[in-house]
Amino acid sequence: MSVRYALLGLLAQQPRHGYELRAAFEALVGGRDTWEVKPGQVYATLERLEEAGLIAEVGVEKEGGPEKRIYALTPAGREALQEWFHTGVVGDHHRDEFFVKLMVGLLVEGTDLHRLIQVQRNTLYQELHRFTRQRMEADSQTELAYVLFLDKVVMHLEADLRWLDMVEARLEEIQRQPTPQPEPKPRGRPRAKREA
Amino acid sequence: MSVRYALLGLLAQQPRHGYELRAAFEALVGGRDTWEVKPGQVYATLERLEEAGLIAEVGVEKEGGPEKRIYALTPAGREALQEWFHTGVVGDHHRDEFFVKLMVGLLVEGTDLHRLIQVQRNTLYQELHRFTRQRMEADSQTELAYVLFLDKVVMHLEADLRWLDMVEARLEEIQRQPTPQPEPKPRGRPRAKREA
DNA sequence: TGACAAATCTCCTCACCTGTAGTATACTTT
DNA sequence: AAAGTATACTACAGGTGAGGAGATTTGTCA
């Protein structure tokens, strides 16, 4: 979703073509390999946006090299963008890969859970170190937004580490619990429910 | 990636068919609509796992209804699972949708950034409330792992809220910064670099 | 000095994996 | 008959990885 709307926003500024959009997007989110977008995604997204009537092709330039297909925002696109601004973002809290790994580890016999946790802790510390250094190197005069972004990442990594400690501390307790079974659903037509 | 390996783990326990795997997966990650997986994903993933040689179809049951195609783990699959256990998970720190929205908001003229932030804050508080209640309702005797998961979500939401406050406090400063331009890359063959 | 190879950018395409949404058929219970 | 589970499939959207044809600059060598 993010890329889709980011492209709309960039086209609201001025008409552009695919390659240019890609560069502008990466600059927008901080440059320096934060959020790399693959060309394929840009062009595919543009096609869908065009099909949805949110953008329109307004010209083609051909000067020597390959064609540049230039897109611009339509009124419907401008509206969609406004709507996006007025809607809150709900995070993907589910789908935490490490949580799944931990659960699967509990399931599979002979898994060394302490090691599992240790590996994850190392990974998190490495990331923390990397982002902290990036943060120090960044110039908050010219890249303030990028700095704020790094702050957020660091805060999340610290939260992850604290959580990991909690998990390790209670590991014995967790291991004592039985593996969860899916509860069977009643089949057939449900009984008529009389009002409470 | 998570679903892929979770299916491997569940098959390591015992051979199963698609529908059963879906139910088992959702039970594993806590039930109660945490992490809903669509049937399509399960079947598509199973096909790819089979093609990759990590699982194999070991039988078909047909008792009345549709066929049940039963899969089991292969030795290669068991190996892949072990490798997963021994690898750290690096989070998707980039691709934070709200961050992009904020940046796009700075770009587009006439955007009310305070409102943008306010909407997001409301959303986060609602989520926080929802998960906090779920956490209180959960029974940490029988669902300890699920409780830990909720703890993590809450910690992250709190971090998001603190970060949002920071952003709002420094908003004027952020708005004063120019929109980032993609830096042009030098074309042609790069100059030979002599060693430092 | 002029020709050509090397490296890299510009712009777009294709093939694939992951995940979401909706559909279809058969069975089971009220 | 109605309603809902059990089991599977199809279609599409989002995202990754690889790559290809042409333009542009630099290094090199006769």
Side-chain angles (χ1 to χ4, degrees):
Chain A
M1 288 280 86
S2 323
V3 172
R4 183 188 171 102
Y5 286 101
L7 294 185
L8 282 185
L10 289 167
L11 289 176
Q13 247 201 328
Q14 59 181 270
R16 306 176 198 248
H17 57 93
Y19 190 92
E20 194 186 346
L21 281 167
R22 180 174 182 241
F25 175 84
E26 297 195 344
L28 185 66
V29 295
R32 359 166 118 232
D33 296 330
T34 335
W35 208 323
E36 182 189 359
V37 179
K38 305 298 159 69
Q41 189 181 351
V42 173
Y43 295 107
T45 304
L46 285 175
E47 276 171 25
R48 285 182 223 114
L49 285 173
E50 185 175 23
E51 202 187 1
L54 305 184
I55 64 175
E57 194 177 323
V58 295
V60 175
E61 274 180 39
K62 182 162 176 62
E63 35 172 59
E67 295 184 338
K68 294 194 251 187
R69 290 208 301 277
I70 298 176
Y71 291 94
L73 210 59
T74 63
R78 210 166 287 273
E79 210 172 306
L81 192 59
Q82 286 306 316
E83 201 188 316
W84 185 53
F85 284 142
H86 298 158
T87 312
V89 176
V90 293
D92 260 9
H93 301 300
H94 14 277
R95 51 210 73 187
D96 177 299
E97 182 167 343
F98 180 74
F99 179 70
V100 176
K101 193 184 283 196
L102 186 63
M103 294 299 109
V104 175
L106 285 166
L107 201 71
V108 176
E109 307 229 345
T111 305
D112 182 346
L113 291 169
H114 279 288
R115 175 172 174 189
L116 199 91
I117 290 173
Q118 193 52 48
V119 168
Q120 184 62 15
R121 199 197 310 276
N122 286 342
T123 305
L124 290 176
Y125 270 121
Q126 281 172 31
E127 289 230 283
L128 188 59
H129 178 250
R130 189 159 62 85
F131 284 109
T132 304
R133 200 180 47 206
Q134 272 189 262
R135 208 225 110 136
M136 290 188 314
E137 284 170 4
D139 177 1
S140 74
Q141 290 309 305
T142 62
E143 311 181 283
L144 179 53
Y146 178 54
V147 167
L148 289 176
F149 172 67
L150 289 175
D151 282 338
K152 182 168 190 172
V153 172
V154 167
M155 284 161 74
H156 275 242
L157 285 171
E158 286 169 350
D160 285 338
L161 281 164
R162 271 187 285 133
W163 182 78
L164 208 57
D165 289 338
M166 265 182 48
V167 170
E168 191 164 32
R170 305 184 72 174
L171 192 55
E172 309 294 317
E173 200 180 338
I174 297 172
Q175 276 175 307
R176 276 201 300 278
Q177 299 211 354
T179 54
Q181 297 302 321
E183 44 192 69
K185 302 184 184 172
R187 303 184 59 163
R189 176 178 182 162
R191 292 155 188 269
K193 50 177 170 231
R194 35 219 72 220
E195 61 282 6
Chain B
M1 287 280 85
S2 324
V3 172
R4 183 188 170 103
Y5 285 102
L7 295 184
L8 281 185
L10 288 166
L11 289 176
Q13 246 201 331
Q14 60 182 268
R16 306 179 198 247
H17 58 93
Y19 190 92
E20 194 185 348
L21 281 167
R22 178 173 183 244
F25 176 83
E26 297 195 345
L28 184 67
V29 295
R32 3 169 113 224
D33 296 331
T34 334
W35 207 322
E36 183 189 357
V37 178
K38 304 299 160 67
Q41 189 179 353
V42 173
Y43 296 109
T45 304
L46 286 174
E47 276 171 24
R48 284 180 225 116
L49 285 172
E50 184 175 23
E51 201 187 0
L54 304 184
I55 66 174
E57 194 176 325
V58 295
V60 176
E61 272 181 41
K62 179 159 178 66
E63 34 172 58
E67 293 184 336
K68 295 193 251 186
R69 290 211 301 279
I70 298 174
Y71 292 93
L73 211 58
T74 63
R78 209 165 288 273
E79 211 171 304
L81 192 59
Q82 286 307 316
E83 202 187 315
W84 185 53
F85 284 142
H86 297 158
T87 313
V89 176
V90 293
D92 260 9
H93 301 300
H94 11 277
R95 53 211 74 184
D96 176 299
E97 181 167 343
F98 180 75
F99 178 71
V100 175
K101 192 183 285 195
L102 187 63
M103 294 299 110
V104 174
L106 285 167
L107 202 69
V108 176
E109 307 228 345
T111 305
D112 183 345
L113 290 169
H114 279 289
R115 175 171 174 191
L116 198 91
I117 289 173
Q118 194 51 49
V119 168
Q120 184 62 14
R121 199 197 311 277
N122 286 343
T123 305
L124 289 176
Y125 270 121
Q126 281 172 31
E127 289 229 282
L128 187 59
H129 178 249
R130 189 160 62 87
F131 283 110
T132 304
R133 199 179 49 205
Q134 273 190 261
R135 203 220 115 143
M136 290 187 315
E137 285 169 3
D139 177 0
S140 74
Q141 290 310 304
T142 63
E143 310 181 282
L144 179 53
Y146 179 54
V147 167
L148 289 175
F149 172 67
L150 289 175
D151 282 337
K152 182 170 192 171
V153 172
V154 168
M155 285 161 72
H156 275 233
L157 285 172
E158 287 169 349
D160 285 338
L161 281 164
R162 271 186 287 133
W163 181 80
L164 209 57
D165 288 337
M166 265 181 46
V167 169
E168 191 164 32
R170 305 184 72 176
L171 192 54
E172 309 294 318
E173 199 180 340
I174 296 172
Q175 277 174 306
R176 275 201 302 278
Q177 299 214 352
T179 54
Q181 298 302 321
E183 46 191 70
K185 301 183 184 173
R187 302 184 61 165
R189 176 176 182 162
R191 292 156 188 270
K193 52 179 168 230
R194 35 218 71 220
E195 60 283 4

